Amino acid sequence: MATWLDVTGFTGYYESEELPVQLDGNGALTKLTWSADEPPGTSVTLYTNVSMDGGTSWSGWKAAVSGGSIPDIFTHSQLTDARVKFRFFLKTDDRAVSPVIHEIRFLLEPVIEIENKGDLTIRPEIWITKEGSGDFSIINTSQHNREFKFTSLLDQEELYIHGDREQIETSIPLKYRYANFNDQYLELPYGVNILKINGNGKLQFRYEFKRLQA
């Protein structure tokens, strides 16, 4: 159980319990924020510690910045059995005056990371099985948030998209989905592409690297 531990009359810290982080995907985009009252002569510092194997081993305490990312969690980190702990250090020059912590927030948004090791941009083949009716989109955060989006899909509808051929097929008989598409085929330029998924569904890609002829 988390407790206050006095180090001296002027410094103390609070350590949290282990917090489970269980996300599907290659990793996550993260953001960590907190709010605190820090009267003159006082300060608050936050450290985090991350485990990727259910708490068996830990990365070590790292200083965090409010509004920044969670140290040691990356877009390629496997988070299916991850845990995180945090530790606030509180300091004051006057025992009668103490800083006060109001809240801490962890934001983790699962992503898919694909590295294009070829020379040319890839337009992959994509298979989507929609879970629940509604919209579905893929946002390439590495390409100025370019969005590949379908609207008003049906529950369990299956889509096949061939990017190079600009071909779209649906499992719904006598139905075409071009009118439900924003005409922005998914592109994977050279290098690392970090993809955010909006909407529920199963997703599969197929692609091959394209190289310039010598």
Side-chain angles (χ1 to χ4, degrees), residues 3-213:
T3 57
W4 283 102
L5 301 176
D6 290 329
V7 179
T8 69
F10 299 90
T11 307
Y13 73 84
Y14 169 86
E15 183 175 322
S16 74
E17 298 177 345
E18 297 177 10
L19 305 175
V21 179
Q22 297 176 329
L23 297 177
D24 292 328
N26 296 126
L29 297 172
T30 69
K31 186 176 182 180
L32 173 60
T33 61
W34 68 86
S35 63
D37 290 334
E38 299 177 64
T42 70
S43 65
V44 173
T45 307
L46 178 70
Y47 288 77
T48 61
N49 201 353
V50 174
S51 171
M52 298 298 179
D53 55 12
T56 301
S57 60
W58 294 84
S59 62
W61 293 102
K62 305 286 177 58
V65 176
S66 185
S69 59
I70 303 172
D72 294 324
I73 296 182
F74 308 102
T75 56
H76 58 267
S77 300
Q78 293 296 325
L79 301 175
T80 54
D81 197 20
R83 299 187 181 189
V84 63
K85 298 186 291 186
F86 64 87
R87 181 183 286 176
F88 274 110
F89 279 88
L90 311 177
K91 295 183 180 181
T92 180
D93 295 334
D94 185 346
R95 294 186 183 186
V97 181
S98 300
V100 177
I101 302 165
H102 294 293
E103 67 175 3
I104 178 171
R105 293 185 178 183
F106 292 87
L107 174 64
L108 295 97
E109 188 169 8
V111 295
I112 297 172
E113 181 179 297
I114 298 177
E115 184 177 3
N116 179 359
K117 299 180 181 180
D119 300 315
L120 302 175
T121 294
I122 298 169
R123 279 187 169 188
E125 293 178 83
I126 305 172
W127 288 262
I128 301 169
T129 301
K130 187 70 176 72
E131 295 181 349
S133 298
D135 300 345
F136 189 90
S137 72
I138 304 173
I139 299 173
N140 192 339
T141 66
S142 304
Q143 197 186 17
H144 309 292
N145 289 321
R146 179 185 173 97
E147 185 174 24
F148 159 99
K149 183 175 183 178
F150 284 91
T151 59
S152 303
L153 299 179
L154 301 180
D155 183 33
Q156 298 306 308
E157 180 177 355
E158 298 177 0
L159 285 180
Y160 168 74
I161 301 95
H162 195 300
D164 283 337
R165 299 175 186 169
E166 298 191 353
Q167 173 186 351
I168 301 172
E169 298 177 1
T170 176
S171 60
I172 305 300
L174 302 177
K175 189 72 175 180
Y176 297 93
R177 285 303 189 190
Y178 291 94
N180 299 86
F181 182 48
N182 69 346
D183 204 34
Q184 296 291 318
Y185 290 89
L186 181 65
E187 295 184 348
L188 305 174
Y190 169 78
V192 174
N193 293 265
I194 299 171
L195 310 179
K196 294 196 301 184
I197 312 301
N198 291 328
N200 296 324
K202 297 177 182 178
L203 187 61
Q204 182 179 347
F205 299 97
R206 183 167 65 190
Y207 55 87
E208 61 181 344
F209 302 137
K210 298 179 180 180
R211 301 193 181 277
L212 294 172
Q213 297 295 324

